[in-house]
Amino acid sequence: MTRDIALVAFAQTDHRRSSDELSEVEMLMPVLHEVLEQTGLKTADIGFTCSGSSDYLAGRAFSFTLALDGVGAWPPISESHVEMDGAWALYEAWTKLLTGDADTALVYAYGKSSPGSVRDVLTRQLDPYYLAPLWPDSVALAALQAQALIDAGDTDERALAAVAARSRADASANSHAQLARPVPQGDYLVQPLRTGDCPPIGDGAAAVVLAAGERARDLCERPAWIRGIDHRIEAHGLGVRDLTDSPSTRLAAQKAGAFERPVDTAELHAPFTSQEIVLRGALRLDDTVRVNPSGGALAANPIMAAGLIRVGEAAAAIHRGDSDRALAHATSGPCLQQNLVAVLEGDPR
Amino acid sequence: MPEVLKAPLAVEFPFTRSLGPVQSAFLTGLRERVLLGVRTTDGRVLVPPVEYDPVTAEEIRDLVHVATTGTVTTWAWNHEPRRGQPLDTPFAWVLVRLDGADTALLHALDAPGPDAVHTGMRVRVRWAGERSGAITDIACFEPCDGEDTVITVHVGEFEEPVTGIVAPARLDYTYSPGRAQSAYIHALAERRTVGERCPSCRKVYVPPRGACPTCGVATTEQVEVGPRGTVTTFCIVNIKAKNLDIEVPYVYAHIALDGAGLALHGRIGGIPYDQVRMGLRVEPVWTQGARYPDHYRPTGEPDAEYDIYKELL
Ligand SMILES: [Zn+2]
């Protein structure tokens, strides 16, 4: 059975450096209510619920179960969770809808980085034998990738600064962004990356609603039809990979149908300026494509939600009529280790 | 609104991990100052070695001895070393392709400054003084000229091989329970128990978490409940927990405080364990300076009727 599935609503919090006056569920709930209001659905109408988050950000086991309070997780709810960015939860929900087991799905993701040191927290996702004992932090690993790109002649520090400036200038139109105006490139955090090349650390949440077939048309004036989604992974060992390229992104894009026709908009999950260079190459995006009109992860990077936000922003551009065919990308793991690509389209006008 | 509470929270755990044959040989090799890689079926040598080919997923076991010298394939200058990192003075993170290997190993390079580091530079392993069979047996790399002799065959067998590692991890957080739970804890300090009522189903949640899990809506209306309550269900604990000075057997129960829409849990005292029953009426017992009830004891009232608490089991 083939069914057309669309993203029909998207909401996100204002992303902030700290939201410690709120628990995760208190931060999340307004966003859940907002997507339901957009569609007129109630929690009991939702066929499948899936979330993405990480216990390591909270420092507490099974922290995601508390967030479930916000969705009315009362039997017989059909519910699942991924310990990854919410974009992967969206992938699970999409497959669930494809099987015909549900007609609507609520997908949400959240991350509060403010309670801990996110650079240290992310070291715990690395290989525990060869990498984690050395505590290489997320900025250091991204900096190795940036230097590899500079050595290969694919970019230089000026080009990276231009990515940072463009992203934050574009974010001035995004009321949710944490950094919504150009910020100084600043000093090296880990050379060759400067503070300006790195994403802000912040707290935030996002939610989307998916619906199948005619149901999607009932719930949304211009649904963002998901034409394809795929996600691929590369070798765990950084020294095995060519850090200047992202074959997994290219393969995911190919499987999602991204290369069949040009896209007009791309929301790329590139927390570091250098990663946008890698992704533009892997996805063959030229200057005709609007890249990250939302400002992207350089303007707001709530960990575990930032990838889902890319899909949500791409869909919202279609809902508004700003885009007819958009590509959304999400990443997880160090140096673009895992990559998801979705292709979204609006009905012809 | 009362102040939202915050407290330091350290999460610390020593992960004990066992090693497969290839990782065991590699880490034992480090202890003996021997660097081993593994050969893939298409002839590439992976250092550090893995047990499955990253391209074909075939199992690979063919160990290869590589040099302790190599070439930097990329680097990044770390001018502010962080806790746990290999050096506490500024250093370069490097990926190093050891002579004889086709892939690169991540580690630290001890160099005077970023101007002394470049891609393609030659480096050598500096061994740690005391080695135990861990990646940290390599203290770091250091700049060098020339190269070591490459020994091409090593069976990878050692006396007393390392078969596991203990990987300690510690992360420090500042925990905040948010608005609803802060209010609950503030009230407990005054020996009061407050919940929050759901505007939709009218149930009172104790402790409150700011949301009704049934309706999925925010709860805000504070309601004081208790102090007395009813045992809805219980169990008898026969095994003494570590660092707990409560004599076993004791009873751990679900207690529906009067006015609450669901039960919380607590220990029952002041009554022999085999006389605790469903419907028993109890009240909290506070000890001097405590921030929550130590246990609950019988009030002496008649037992509650089952129909009164059957929805709260
Ligand atoms: Zn309710």
Side-chain angles (χ1 to χ4, degrees), chain A residues 20 33 56 69 72-73 115 151 188, chain B residues 6 79 119 173-174 176 209 213 216:
Chain A
D20 57 11
H33 293 170
Y56 275 79
D69 286 355
D151 286 334
Y188 287 122
Chain B
K6 284 184 190 181
H79 57 87
T119 297
Y173 299 89
T174 301
S176 171
R209 297 204 295 249

Side-chain angles (χ1 to χ4, degrees), chain B residues 198-203 205 212-217 219:
Chain B
C198 171
S200 173
C201 69
R202 310 299 294 163
K203 217 173 187 179
Y205 287 91
C212 171
T214 313
C215 306
V217 298
T219 58

Side-chain angles (χ1 to χ4, degrees), chain A residues 245-311:
Chain A
D245 193 11
S246 183
S248 58
T249 299
R250 190 180 303 110
L251 183 59
Q254 186 200 322
K255 298 284 181 185
F259 300 135
E260 289 164 16
R261 287 195 296 120
V263 296
D264 54 44
T265 305
E267 281 285 342
L268 305 181
H269 186 192
F272 297 93
T273 52
S274 42
Q275 293 179 344
E276 183 179 305
I277 309 291
V278 178
L279 293 171
R280 276 178 180 267
L283 292 166
R284 305 177 203 157
L285 301 175
D286 60 25
D287 292 342
T288 65
V289 180
R290 284 190 300 275
V291 172
N292 288 349
S294 66
L298 288 163
N301 189 41
I303 291 187
M304 298 296 142
L308 180 65
I309 290 170
R310 304 281 71 74
V311 190

Side-chain angles (χ1 to χ4, degrees), chain B residues 236-258:
Chain B
I236 299 166
V237 180
N238 286 291
I239 295 170
K240 205 172 165 68
K242 207 173 165 184
N243 303 324
L244 190 70
D245 58 353
I246 298 169
E247 284 310 310
V248 291
Y250 65 88
V251 171
Y252 198 67
H254 273 189
I255 300 153
L257 295 180
D258 295 346

Side-chain angles (χ1 to χ4, degrees), chain A residues 20 57-58 114-117, chain B residues 5-10 172-177:
Chain A
D20 57 11
L57 287 175
S114 59
S117 162
Chain B
L5 294 165
K6 284 184 190 181
L9 169 71
D172 286 277
Y173 299 89
T174 301
Y175 176 65
S176 171

